[in-house]
Amino acid sequence: MASKRRISYQWQLFIPLITTLWILIFGMAFWQTYNEREYRMANLEGQLKLINDRIISYYENEKDPIEFFRFLSKYYVDNPLYDKIRISVYKNDTLIYNVAEVITLSEEERRNVKGITNNIHKKNASTAAPEDSHTQELRENNFFYRSDVSDDGRLRASTVLPFDADIIEASLPQESIWIIVFIIGIVLTVVSYFSTRYFGRNIKILRTFAERAATDPNFMPSMDYPHDELGDISRQIIYMYNERSKAVLKLKREHNVTMHALEEKSRLKRQLTNNINHELKTPIGVIKGYLDTIVSTPDMDDVSKNHFIRKALEHANRLTSLMNDVSAITRLEEGGALINTEELDYHDIVYSVMSDLSETDVLGSMEFVYDIPTDCMVEGNNSLLSGMLMNLAKNAAAYSKGTECGVKLVGEDDKFYRFIFFDNGVGVGEEHLPHLFERFYRIDSGRSRKTGGTGLGLPIVQNTVLAHGGTIEIRNNPNGGLEFVYTLPKANQK
């Protein structure tokens, strides 16, 4: 069964608010109407009291009230509100003056004349019926009745104002008050509607945001909210949601990059293992072949036997170099960031390498030169940096077909020195440059084996530079030869 449709937040605010406002408006309107009616009634009472007080004042000051009565006849009697006023003045219970019909009192009223002094009565014939027809009329009709007595009790002034259409109209509040009440109610209703709509809009946007956020993982909400407290809260919620979404997306990207790196590392390991297996087969096969030949030919002459033994030894040495290079490159890849470094004079390292090359005659007829200033202090590992230069020199001697190789300082900045290892050989084809740092990459498939190389010398050079935090690139010199441009960190700059 479908759930009941919920009332929107705007109407949940608007209906109770406007109901309360209309109740307050009508309550205040009725209260104001009552107070105004009481005020008007009190004003009529005041007029009657004023008449009685003036009559008594004339009596007490022994003045003739005739002028006052003329004023009453002119002002009150001609006034539609007071045209039916009746005034009777008694002195010692004897009527001495009256306006309009005479007001007579019942016996009960006569006995209690002082008791009703300065009191006003609105009644409907509640006293015993007098013999006088005018008194009977007063009792049968609603009226304002006031009787006031002088201080000596001898003079009594009585005033009656019967209810008629003019009196009723004068005692009722003006109709304009209800028009004002209606206008105020309409204005407050409109203001309340737009106010609750304003707040309801924010709630509606938040609800839409919550629904979208729960169903759409790629939802990125906007920050278009009003500049008030609720808008600030909404923006803060959305800001936190966006930051969380960005963090989740960043984690996903980092996870993908990590997985890709792990997969690439695993692929490279598999490739290295396959290449190592392939590279091991040749020297091991050759060594085994030579040894099998020696063993299977007991009567082999000494010259041939010594030749086979020397060949087996050459391939055993090549196998040893291969295993050393594999160990070096594995150590650099897996623990490159953990290598031990110290402050070294690169000039001394280059000089030491040059001495070793001269003693071992690795370069043959090729000359090694260098241009490194003294006190060129770098942060590095002596063994790795020496091995890197040795590999570059061996690579130049084996493949460049030049007469000279060496290293020189070509620049520096705040953190790094920039060096170039060069030769004056034939260089390599541009299509091979991006692949020279790949393991076991050979420009000529048979070239490395003929020269005794392992195919790992240049990858070791690259990993050595990277492990020290530097960079390296290969380029052909326009004047001939190959150049390795690399950087090493200055001492105390890492």
Side-chain angles (χ1 to χ4, degrees), residues 201-458:
R201 173 179 172 271
N202 288 346
I203 301 299
K204 183 178 180 180
I205 294 175
L206 275 177
R207 184 180 63 188
T208 303
F209 156 72
E211 293 174 351
R212 291 284 304 278
T215 57
D216 186 0
N218 298 320
F219 173 58
M220 295 295 287
S222 65
M223 304 290 282
D224 184 19
Y225 285 90
H227 296 283
D228 54 19
E229 292 183 1
L230 188 57
D232 292 340
I233 294 173
S234 301
R235 278 189 292 274
Q236 187 63 28
I237 292 174
I238 290 181
Y239 172 78
M240 291 188 294
Y241 172 81
N242 287 341
E243 289 300 310
R244 176 183 172 276
S245 299
K246 292 177 182 177
V248 171
L249 188 60
K250 182 179 179 181
L251 287 175
K252 288 182 178 179
R253 286 199 297 264
E254 291 177 350
H255 175 73
N256 292 336
V257 170
T258 302
M259 293 302 297
H260 178 74
L262 292 174
E263 291 174 358
E264 182 65 16
K265 187 175 182 180
S266 177
R267 185 189 68 80
L268 291 176
K269 283 186 176 181
R270 289 194 302 271
Q271 184 184 40
L272 178 61
T273 301
N274 294 334
N275 289 333
I276 290 173
N277 290 335
H278 177 73
E279 294 295 327
L280 289 176
K281 288 179 181 179
T282 300
I284 291 174
V286 172
I287 293 171
K288 185 177 183 302
Y290 284 131
L291 294 178
D292 286 343
T293 301
I294 293 172
V295 170
S296 62
T297 313
D299 55 349
M300 181 182 296
D301 61 275
D302 291 339
V303 175
S304 299
K305 183 182 296 186
N306 290 334
H307 173 74
F308 286 171
I309 292 173
R310 283 195 301 271
K311 288 295 183 180
L313 181 60
E314 288 178 7
H315 284 280
N317 290 335
R318 181 170 177 263
L319 183 61
T320 301
S321 298
L322 176 62
M323 297 309 297
N324 289 335
D325 288 347
V326 169
S327 176
I329 197 169
T330 302
R331 185 172 67 255
L332 286 171
E333 287 185 346
E334 295 186 353
L338 303 176
I339 63 173
N340 295 322
T341 62
E342 57 183 330
E343 187 175 337
L344 302 171
D345 189 338
Y346 200 60
H347 175 275
D348 293 344
I349 295 175
V350 175
Y351 180 80
S352 177
V353 169
M354 183 188 71
S355 299
D356 291 341
L357 291 173
S358 299
E359 292 177 1
T360 57
D361 196 27
V362 172
L363 296 181
S365 62
M366 179 174 278
E367 181 183 3
F368 182 85
V369 297
Y370 68 94
D371 182 12
I372 304 295
T374 57
D375 297 328
C376 181
M377 308 305 293
V378 298
E379 187 75 20
N381 182 283
N382 187 32
S383 175
L384 292 176
L385 293 180
S386 298
M388 180 188 78
L389 287 174
M390 190 67 72
N391 276 324
L392 289 173
K394 290 179 179 179
N395 184 77
Y399 309 121
S400 70
K401 300 179 182 180
T403 60
E404 184 181 82
C405 68
V407 61
K408 60 183 176 180
L409 176 67
V410 294
E412 62 180 291
D413 56 25
D414 293 339
K415 294 183 178 182
F416 291 92
Y417 288 113
R418 189 164 181 260
F419 304 97
I420 290 181
F421 187 94
F422 61 93
D423 64 63
N424 61 353
V426 296
V428 299
E430 292 293 331
E431 70 276 10
H432 297 294
L433 290 178
H435 305 288
L436 291 183
F437 287 132
E438 295 179 6
R439 299 160 185 161
F440 303 107
Y441 181 79
R442 295 181 177 86
I443 297 174
D444 179 358
S445 60
R447 171 180 174 181
S448 181
R449 294 188 179 92
K450 291 177 182 179
T451 57
T454 64
L456 295 175
L458 293 184

Side-chain angles (χ1 to χ4, degrees), residues 126-161:
S126 60
T127 58
E131 298 177 352
D132 189 271
S133 61
H134 299 300
T135 303
Q136 176 67 29
E137 180 185 357
L138 293 177
R139 291 184 179 134
E140 291 176 351
N141 295 280
N142 294 324
F143 61 91
F144 279 109
Y145 170 68
R146 185 173 185 92
S147 179
D148 293 282
V149 181
S150 63
D151 293 338
D152 59 9
R154 299 180 61 190
L155 187 74
R156 174 170 51 81
S158 299
T159 309
V160 168
L161 189 63

Side-chain angles (χ1 to χ4, degrees), residues 67 70 75 88 106 123 127-128 164 222 246 250 327 346 348 396 404 472 474 487:
E67 291 298 327
R70 290 175 180 172
Y75 180 79
S88 296
S106 65
K123 56 187 180 179
T127 58
D164 59 11
S222 65
K246 292 177 182 177
K250 182 179 179 181
S327 176
Y346 200 60
D348 293 344
E404 184 181 82
I472 186 169
I474 309 174
T487 61

